[in-house]
Structure formats: structure tokens, C-alpha cells
Amino acid sequence: MTDFITVTFTVATFASGVRLATPYLLAALGETLGQRSGVLNLGVDGVMLLGAFFSYWAVLQTDSIAVGLLVGIGVGLLLGVVYAAVTVVFRAEQGISGIGIFLFGLGMSALLFEEWVGTPQPISSFDKLAIPLLSDIPKIGDMFFNHNLLVYVSMLLVPGLTLLVNRTTFGLNVRAVGETPEAADSLGVSVARTRAICILAGNGLAGLAGAALAIEIGIFQHNLTNQIGFIAIALVYFGAWRPTGVVAGSLLYGLVTSTVNQWKTAGLVTGAASSFTTMAPALLTIVALVVIARRTAAQPAALTLPFVRGH
């Protein structure tokens, strides 16, 4: 128990929490943009799985992490084209379409892994990139400024997406399309194009999130994400469709997961208690959603509603 309260243990827990939050944050930011435009994508986890597998396979073949990340984004964009066609062009029901994408990603990633790889093989993982001066700050530097590049990129996306949505013409169009698509259309805004762009961006980030997960772990296995995509969707609601709220939820989730892992490593929880603490992140999400749902603004008014001109 003494080890648990040491500064070193605490710093390691926080640093791990920040790192673990990255896939959640990337996927949740992409989903935030999509939902602000009125599109719910329940297929995030399937996109992450395929992004994770293809990025893993690309790194396995080329030994290039950069190639793996680009492949992950490309897979996400490709699935985004499919999802945009199904939900925006053909106006299929978003919930069912998203579940279809998830099931496709779950099954196809497992099948391709068995056919193309078979036996799990490790790949190169991320190198740490210490930020000069900031990484030298005692304790704080190790917690926040000594991570891989993708951690920093995901954090920079938070203010970037905030500015995009709140301070640009495109962001105004996104919000208008998500709230009153009929009014946006009457002003000359293309609802279909705006939603399609948001879907593509969201799926691209989901593919990148899957790539980040696979490369961070350095291996691929069946159902690698373990439903991270669904947690990411929940984090959008937790954050009240704001990037700042989403990053807070992602960090909280990552920190709880890291704490549970550290407890197990230190032998503080064993047996049945270990199994129970494994559920802690999911339970925390459920409780947070119940509490937050009572206090936050309503979801985008046109969320999940297909747009038909003249209706």
C-alpha cells in the first residue's frame, strides 16, 4: 500500500492515463463533428477495428509507423464514403446502418487477421517525443510532456475543432445543418455536402484512433478495441457535444483505466475484486452520463433525422 501513494506511482498513473485517453479522444472528436451535423455513427468501433488491423498490417509489411497511420486514416475515409452514401444519399436509418458497419468491421478484421497474419507478430511502437523545457518540469513534465507525437496531435485537435465549429463559416454551416437543416438549405447551404464532409472527417479520425491503439500496443488481436468506439460515442454525450467536454471525459476515462491497471500491477486488487475493478471505467461512464444528461443542453435537434428537401 505504501507504493500506491508514492509520487512515482502517481506520476506513472497520470502519464499512462493521458496516453490511454488518446484513442478515445480521437474517435470521440470525430464523432462530435458528425453529430453536430446531425449524423449519429454507431459504427465507430467497426471503423476503429479495420483501421487498427490495416495499420498493423501496413507496419508489419513496411516497418513504418507513418505508413501505418496513413493507412488507418485511409481506411476510415473509405468507410466514411460508404457510410455517407448509405445515410446521406440513400437516407437509410442511421442507427441500423452504424451497427452494420460495426459488425462488418468486427468480422472482417478478424477474418483478414486469420488469413493474412495468423500468428500474432509484434510491430514497432511509438517513440516518446519529449517537449523541450516543458518535459523537464519535475513530475508535471513526465505526466503531460513526455509522450508520443499522436498524444500531442489529439490534444491540439481540441482547440482546433473548437475554433472550427464556433469561429468559421463551415462550423456555422455544420451547426445549422445539425439543428435546422431546412433553414440551412433555404440559405443555400448544402446539407448533404456538409454532412458528408463531417462523416468523412469523423471516420478518418476513427481510423486514426484504431491505428493509434494497434501501434501503441504493438500487436493486433480479435476485437482489439474492446468496444472503445461505443465509449467514444458516450463521451460525446458526456461532453455535451463540445470538444472541451469530450477531452475532459476522455482524460477521466483514461485515468480511471490507468488506475485500475496500476492497482492490478501492484497487487492491490486480486481475484473477484480484480474482475469488478475492470468494470469501473464502464460503470463510471454510465454514472457520468446519467448525471450529465440532467445538466447539459439538448442534443442537436436534427440528430439521426435524414434530410429531404421540401419536407
Side-chain angles (χ1 to χ4, degrees):
M1 189 65 176
T2 302
D3 290 339
F4 171 69
I5 59 177
T6 62
V7 173
T8 301
F9 192 98
T10 303
V11 169
T13 300
F14 271 86
S16 176
V18 172
R19 187 180 70 255
L20 290 172
T22 299
Y24 298 95
L25 180 57
L26 289 170
L29 288 176
E31 180 65 10
T32 298
L33 184 61
Q35 289 197 24
R36 290 299 293 265
S37 73
V39 179
L40 171 67
N41 183 6
L42 295 181
V44 173
D45 202 68
V47 177
M48 288 183 65
L49 278 168
L50 283 175
F53 169 74
F54 278 104
S55 63
Y56 164 80
W57 183 77
V59 176
L60 194 62
Q61 300 301 312
T62 66
D63 198 32
S64 172
I65 291 177
V67 171
L69 293 176
L70 290 174
V71 168
I73 295 172
V75 169
L77 290 174
L78 180 60
L79 290 172
V81 171
V82 174
Y83 192 66
V86 170
T87 58
V88 176
V89 178
F90 297 107
R91 296 190 288 274
E93 206 282 325
Q94 294 176 12
I96 296 175
S97 302
I99 292 298
I101 293 289
F102 161 65
L103 293 175
F104 173 76
L106 179 65
M108 184 59 68
S109 61
L111 175 63
L112 292 176
F113 177 73
E114 291 296 329
E115 293 294 326
W116 293 5
V117 182
T119 304
Q121 302 176 47
I123 59 173
S124 303
S125 188
F126 293 113
D127 293 324
K128 288 186 178 181
L129 179 62
I131 298 179
L133 300 180
L134 293 177
S135 61
D136 295 329
I137 300 174
K139 315 309 177 189
I140 299 298
D142 287 334
M143 288 184 189
F144 302 107
F145 304 113
N146 191 22
H147 294 284
N148 65 71
L149 180 61
L150 209 54
V151 173
Y152 305 131
V153 170
S154 67
M155 293 299 173
L156 289 174
L157 283 174
V158 175
L161 186 58
T162 300
L163 290 174
L164 176 69
V165 172
N166 297 322
R167 295 287 186 267
T168 67
T169 301
F170 176 74
L172 176 62
N173 292 343
V174 169
R175 287 182 284 134
V177 165
E179 294 291 342
T180 53
E182 295 81 8
D185 179 69
S186 69
L187 295 174
V189 177
S190 173
V191 175
R193 182 170 63 247
T194 302
R195 287 184 170 179
I197 291 172
C198 291
I199 291 172
L200 287 173
N203 276 262
L205 285 175
L208 179 60
L213 181 65
I215 296 173
E216 173 66 31
I217 296 174
I219 201 72
F220 184 86
Q221 60 186 18
H222 177 59
N223 195 22
L224 178 71
T225 58
N226 196 26
Q227 283 72 59
I228 286 178
F230 291 101
I231 298 297
I233 295 172
L235 289 174
V236 176
Y237 289 81
F238 176 93
W241 296 272
R242 298 191 303 269
T244 50
V246 169
V247 69
S250 300
L251 288 171
L252 176 61
Y253 202 91
L255 181 59
V256 172
T257 303
S258 175
T259 301
V260 170
N261 291 340
Q262 295 285 7
W263 283 357
K264 291 181 178 179
T265 301
L268 296 176
V269 288
T270 57
S274 177
S275 299
F276 179 78
T277 54
T278 301
M279 298 186 295
L283 293 175
L284 174 66
T285 302
I286 294 172
V287 172
L289 285 176
V290 171
V291 174
I292 295 296
R294 298 172 179 269
R295 303 172 59 184
T296 58
Q299 66 184 28
L303 184 62
T304 74
L305 301 179
F307 172 70
V308 182
R309 178 173 289 176
H311 284 214

